[in-house]
Amino acid sequence: EDQVTQSPEALRLQEGESSSLNCSYTVSGLRGLFWYRQDPGKGPEFLFTLYSAGEEKEKERLKATLTKKESFLHITAPKPEDSATYLCAADNYGQNFVFGPGTRLSVLP
Amino acid sequence: GAGVSQTPSNKVTEKGKYVELRCDPISGHTALYWYRQSLGQGPEFLIYFQGTGAADDSGLPNDRFFAVRPEGSVSTLKIQRTERGDSAVYLCASSIGQGETQYFGPGTRLLVL
């Protein structure tokens, strides 16, 4: 069965303290790996799509990378406004995305 | 441009009642998805439309759940005989096509008392 897991479940950082979030996927085939940000009470907001191992994408303080079994979301010098839940999802050539449970990030000033 | 919109934003109903949740996708997006999200969990797939037809409804939990998209744009998720376990956030997403980036609406928070 196709599955996506994320770790840690929750992460608390001080402002400026860099870290990484992990997304591990077990799927029969990967067409694309998607990262979303979700703020409380809102729908997921698209961040990145990665298609092949070795690919990297960057946006402001965020960088997403992809290997054959994992994806990482690196956060460099985070700010309090980066606090949110970060979701990853795998497109397994199916009709829908398989989402992980998310990592709740809190960045303290 | 306008994003995905969902109405109502919140819905409180009593056990056993019927509810309808509406999704208005991004203009020109042929693919439309419904997901359900419980607290602390990621979105869980319910149903996918390509145009007017339900291409995959394998995620619908039982026959109390039904969705339509009669003109290939707006979609309605219908839940009959609601149960307390149906309480969740119902998210709608649309994309240009299958496998493309899905853009989500703000969700409808359903509470069944």
Side-chain angles (χ1 to χ4, degrees):
Chain A
E1 182 183 344
D2 292 343
Q3 190 174 12
V4 175
T5 59
Q6 292 186 247
S7 61
E9 184 177 319
L11 181 62
R12 183 174 290 190
L13 300 173
Q14 289 295 134
E15 184 172 3
E17 180 186 1
S18 301
S19 188
S20 295
L21 313 182
N22 175 267
C23 169
S24 295
Y25 58 92
T26 306
V27 295
S28 50
L30 183 73
R31 173 160 47 192
L33 191 290
F34 295 77
W35 281 97
Y36 287 83
R37 168 189 171 131
Q38 187 172 27
D39 292 299
K42 297 190 176 182
E45 175 189 345
F46 171 71
L47 293 174
F48 303 110
T49 310
L50 301 166
Y51 291 104
S52 57
E55 188 176 0
E56 299 183 352
K57 294 272 181 75
E58 284 190 72
K59 180 181 179 181
E60 297 181 353
R61 295 176 293 282
L62 300 177
K63 183 169 78 172
T65 61
L66 182 67
T67 72
K68 288 188 176 180
K69 294 187 176 181
E70 298 176 300
S71 179
F72 293 92
L73 186 64
H74 307 278
I75 304 176
T76 302
K79 298 182 177 182
E81 53 262 43
D82 295 322
S83 297
T85 295
Y86 291 86
L87 297 163
C88 71
D91 176 3
N92 58 358
Y93 292 96
Q95 310 277 37
N96 60 280
F97 288 179
V98 180
F99 277 85
T103 292
R104 294 190 308 279
L105 175 66
S106 299
V107 182
L108 307 177
Chain B
V4 178
S5 61
Q6 293 186 245
T7 55
S9 55
N10 294 280
K11 177 69 177 179
V12 181
T13 191
E14 294 179 344
K15 180 176 179 296
K17 299 290 188 180
Y18 168 83
V19 296
E20 289 189 353
L21 311 179
R22 175 189 167 108
C23 172
D24 202 336
I26 294 171
S27 178
H29 281 194
T30 61
L32 185 146
Y33 306 80
W34 283 98
Y35 291 85
R36 180 167 68 175
Q37 187 174 29
S38 299
L39 195 63
Q41 300 297 315
E44 176 188 20
F45 170 73
L46 295 176
I47 187 170
Y48 155 64
F49 287 91
Q50 181 57 50
T52 60
D56 183 358
D57 64 357
S58 63
L60 295 178
N62 51 61
D63 61 6
R64 295 186 298 106
F65 289 74
F66 189 71
V68 295
R69 195 186 185 198
E71 298 179 357
S73 179
V74 170
S75 177
T76 304
L77 178 66
K78 308 180 181 192
I79 310 174
Q80 299 177 322
R81 304 182 304 281
T82 52
E83 299 178 355
R84 294 192 180 88
D86 298 334
S87 297
V89 176
Y90 289 82
L91 294 165
C92 175
S94 70
S95 67
I96 292 174
Q98 183 187 345
E100 300 295 332
T101 298
Q102 294 180 24
Y103 295 91
F104 283 81
T108 293
R109 283 145 196 81
L110 175 66
L111 177 61
V112 182
L113 301 176

